Amino acid sequence: MGKFQVIDHPLIQHKLTIIRDKNSGTKVFREVVDEIAMLMAYEISRDLPVEEVEIETPMVRSVQKQLSGKKVAIIPILRAGLGMVDGILQLIPAAKVGHVGLYRDEETLEPHEYFVKLPDDIASRQLLVVDPMLATGGSAAMAIEALKKRGASNIKFVCLVAAPEGVKVLQEAHPDVDIYTAALDEKLNEQGYIVPGLGDAGDRLFGTK
Ligand code: PRP
Ligand code: URA
């Protein structure tokens, strides 16, 4: 089974409270989602491989460390995943970005795929699939299936708020995928929204309704 980690650093908890607040408008919501994604990227990148490199400091020649091995690609699930991309790029600026477009049918809660555009070397990259919300888990599971179908195998899923139901669905569908979230909430309501949650992430991020 992949790792399941709640990244509950005090800065992240504080910022998450800001975006949960229904009085936070689009500007604040967007800025703070980016900040949380950046802070999470610091923790998620902890196990990136490093290699030794010989350099010259102003004092001596010296063997030091640099990132090596697998390159990263960030895969936002449209739309709301887009809000997390820039924050992660601040820490991993050379990452490529692929897109998977899914929407959830409001009646059945089933996800529907409408767009997939990926870097052509995803099979050799460490993929970070990002979406603020892991609710029923249907969207995340389908997005990851779409990536695996195209050759991806090294995948981490990163969200801001997860429901226990979604974590279970995703772990069962993709036991090889590590899951990182900033919070594990109480439950889903009858409409498939996370409670306490933060509402509709896409609408709050883009100011739609
Ligand atoms: C939201 C969210 C996830 C999905 C989570 O997207 O951004 O992608 O719902 O729900 P699930 O775990 O039950 O599948 P939505 O379908 O509302 O699309 P949007 O991002 O375009 O608003
Ligand atoms: N999608 C959202 O944007 N919010 C939820 O609470 C559940 C699914």
Side-chain angles (χ1 to χ4, degrees):
M1 184 68 74
K3 185 197 291 189
F4 173 73
Q5 187 180 345
V6 180
I7 303 179
D8 56 357
H9 187 286
L11 289 173
I12 293 180
Q13 290 188 49
H14 179 85
K15 290 175 190 296
L16 196 53
T17 300
I18 294 172
I19 58 170
R20 284 185 191 278
D21 188 334
K22 69 175 187 183
N23 294 314
S24 296
T26 301
K27 175 178 182 289
V28 167
F29 192 89
R30 207 177 270 151
E31 288 169 355
V32 177
V33 165
D34 244 341
E35 290 169 8
I36 298 173
M38 184 187 69
L39 293 169
M40 291 183 80
Y42 180 76
E43 186 59 33
I44 290 154
S45 56
R46 180 176 289 281
D47 59 1
L48 284 179
V50 289
E51 63 186 4
E52 293 192 334
V53 58
E54 189 175 337
I55 54 149
E56 213 168 325
T57 76
M59 314 306 293
V60 286
R61 287 195 75 76
S62 169
V63 174
Q64 298 295 332
K65 301 279 172 52
Q66 68 180 13
L67 288 170
S68 74
K70 284 201 163 52
K71 302 276 194 295
V72 173
I74 306 165
I75 315 290
I77 301 178
L78 307 182
R79 291 175 302 162
L82 288 173
M84 298 172 69
V85 174
D86 287 351
I88 299 177
L89 282 175
Q90 283 190 48
L91 290 197
I92 314 175
K96 290 192 174 176
V97 180
H99 297 85
V100 177
L102 302 177
Y103 71 89
R104 211 171 63 143
D105 184 302
E106 285 179 10
E107 300 290 312
T108 65
L109 302 183
E110 288 293 318
H112 296 271
E113 183 182 303
Y114 60 86
F115 186 74
V116 179
K117 183 75 180 170
L118 303 169
D120 52 17
D121 58 354
I122 53 159
S124 61
R125 287 184 178 259
Q126 167 69 63
L127 303 189
L128 302 179
V129 178
V130 300
D131 190 327
M133 312 306 280
L134 180 62
T136 65
S139 300
M142 182 181 266
I144 290 169
E145 192 55 47
L147 298 173
K148 286 184 173 174
K149 235 170 33 193
R150 291 163 175 83
S153 60
N154 208 325
I155 303 172
K156 295 177 193 282
F157 179 78
V158 188
C159 62
L160 303 186
V161 182
E165 296 89 331
V167 174
K168 186 162 179 287
V169 164
L170 188 53
Q171 282 177 328
E172 282 172 5
H174 300 289
D176 55 307
V177 171
D178 294 338
I179 303 172
Y180 299 86
T181 185
L184 180 61
D185 274 13
E186 195 187 322
K187 60 175 183 185
L188 293 179
N189 70 10
E190 304 75 52
Q191 287 77 43
Y193 279 86
I194 301 176
V195 180
L198 49 75
D200 188 306
D203 284 342
R204 295 199 62 195
L205 198 55
F206 296 107
T208 48
K209 192 71 212 115

